[in-house]
Amino acid sequence: MEGRHSIAEELRQLFDTLTPTERKIGRALLANYPMAGLETIALLAARSDVSGPTVLRFVGKLGFDSYAAFQSALREELEARLQSPLLRYNPDELVDGDDFLASHARRLTELIRATVTNLPRAEFDDVVGLLADNRARIWLLGGRLTESLASYLSHHLKVVRPSVHHMRGLPASWADTLVDMDRHDVLVVFDIRRYWDEAATFAAMAAERKVTVVLFTDQWLSPISRVARYTLVAHTAGPAGWDSNTPLMMLVDAVIAALNTRNWPDISARLQQLEAMRARLGEQETDGVERAVRQG
């Protein structure tokens, strides 16, 4: 399972090729992924308001010759979601030859290539367009291992556009932010396995207030995908046991670069103002240091 893309990822790629009734199954599956697919055919058909044979045709389009094979693959994904690094560590996959660095770089290159291959371009473009809209307020939230990615994206966005906020602190403090959020806000969340329950609750509450949720996640899909308007999926599985943030970082850098390209005239004018302000503030700081030296 580590080296393959998930069923959810496959479904998102095939979605436009499905019939209207098959899309109903796809939406039901993604709304409660992967648990909805572990139900019986009859229950999934009832959840989707379609017939049993339609469910079987849907599963066939995903590449499975039986519903049992489909469910077996979902169970593998569920197990992969919950595995700790202790279980994922595989020393036999770490080195190809004697050059660890080169072997590791090749592995990361494969993950980045898989990320790019499987990411719908329309989804990427829509996220760039959303972040380019200066009328929206942007809020960013990262987890224990993705906080640095949220911070990195926040710093870049603050340079190129207004109304950008990086959320920190304990979950109990998030209510102070949530109470003022509405349809004019965008919540960008980073969440990778093993997923962050408090962030999922917060994202669901934000979606209830018509906030647009953007999710950066791995190929097993954070539960936040159920409420996210847009989901950018990175392949992160690494043989060292720890998943790699490098593919996610690539997506963040790509979003920043695309945003700069899209809005460069406005961004250029903003940068000129920022540089002038920084120069003046730097001169004042230098003058203050020189005065302190003289007085000392």
Side-chain angles (χ1 to χ4, degrees):
M1 187 63 231
E2 294 288 326
R4 304 198 306 267
H5 52 259
S6 66
I7 293 173
E9 204 171 7
E10 180 78 15
L11 172 57
R12 284 156 52 81
Q13 288 184 354
L14 294 175
F15 205 83
D16 290 340
T17 69
L18 301 177
T19 67
T21 51
E22 289 167 347
R23 290 180 187 179
K24 293 169 71 175
I25 306 170
R27 293 189 186 98
L29 178 58
L30 291 175
N32 188 22
Y33 187 83
M35 303 310 297
L38 297 175
E39 299 173 338
T40 65
I41 293 176
L43 285 175
L44 181 55
R47 180 190 289 271
S48 310
D49 193 24
V50 302
S51 67
T54 302
V55 172
L56 290 176
R57 286 195 298 271
F58 168 82
V59 167
K61 285 192 176 180
L62 291 176
F64 297 97
D65 57 11
S66 70
Y67 195 70
F70 167 72
Q71 290 192 317
S72 178
L74 283 178
R75 291 190 186 95
E76 286 186 28
E77 286 189 24
L78 186 59
E79 182 181 356
R81 272 187 175 202
L82 301 175
Q83 281 181 351
S84 77
L86 289 172
L87 294 175
R88 296 198 300 267
Y89 179 75
N90 186 353
D92 294 334
E93 295 182 7
L94 287 176
V95 180
D96 179 15
D98 297 327
D99 192 334
F100 181 93
L101 179 59
S103 177
H104 188 70
R106 281 193 295 271
R107 176 59 176 160
L108 292 181
T109 301
E110 293 170 2
L111 292 176
I112 291 173
R113 185 179 296 113
T115 299
V116 173
T117 299
N118 291 290
L119 186 66
R121 296 303 186 267
E123 195 93 348
F124 177 84
D125 293 340
D126 286 346
V127 170
V128 173
L130 186 67
L131 298 180
D133 185 355
N134 289 343
R135 296 171 297 179
R137 292 183 298 182
I138 310 295
W139 304 86
L140 298 104
L141 178 64
R144 182 170 61 90
L145 297 177
T146 55
E147 167 67 18
S148 59
L149 296 175
S151 177
Y152 179 80
L153 180 55
S154 173
H155 283 304
H156 276 276
L157 290 178
K158 285 179 180 179
V159 170
V160 303
R161 55 153 298 148
S163 303
V164 177
H165 311 275
H166 183 193
M167 295 180 58
R168 294 185 176 89
L170 297 175
S173 69
W174 297 346
D176 300 337
T177 297
L178 185 63
V179 71
D180 293 321
M181 295 174 76
D182 57 29
R183 61 186 179 87
H184 301 291
D185 293 277
V186 176
L187 174 63
V188 180
V189 187
F190 292 82
D191 192 32
I192 59 175
R193 65 175 182 182
R194 295 173 280 175
Y195 304 107
W196 191 8
D197 292 340
E198 291 84 356
T201 300
F202 179 75
M205 294 173 70
E208 290 172 1
R209 300 180 68 85
K210 309 302 181 185
V211 173
T212 300
V213 179
V214 176
L215 171 65
F216 285 78
T217 188
D218 51 33
Q219 66 262 46
W220 298 279
L221 288 189
S222 159
I224 295 172
S225 63
R226 300 169 190 168
V227 299
R229 178 83 59 84
Y230 304 105
T231 301
L232 298 185
V233 175
H235 282 237
T236 61
W242 298 102
D243 288 342
S244 172
N245 272 350
T246 301
L248 281 167
M249 185 68 172
M250 180 276 297
L251 283 181
V252 170
D253 273 339
V255 166
I256 293 168
L259 180 58
N260 285 349
T261 301
R262 184 182 183 123
N263 274 15
W264 181 246
D266 292 338
I267 290 174
S268 177
R270 181 180 173 89
L271 287 175
Q272 290 178 25
Q273 295 182 57
L274 281 172
E275 291 300 325
M277 292 174 181
R278 288 169 178 164
R280 289 182 60 187
L281 290 170
E283 290 173 1
Q284 292 177 6
E285 181 179 354
T286 300
D287 290 344
V289 170
E290 290 178 349
R291 284 197 299 271
V293 169
R294 288 195 299 270
Q295 292 171 0

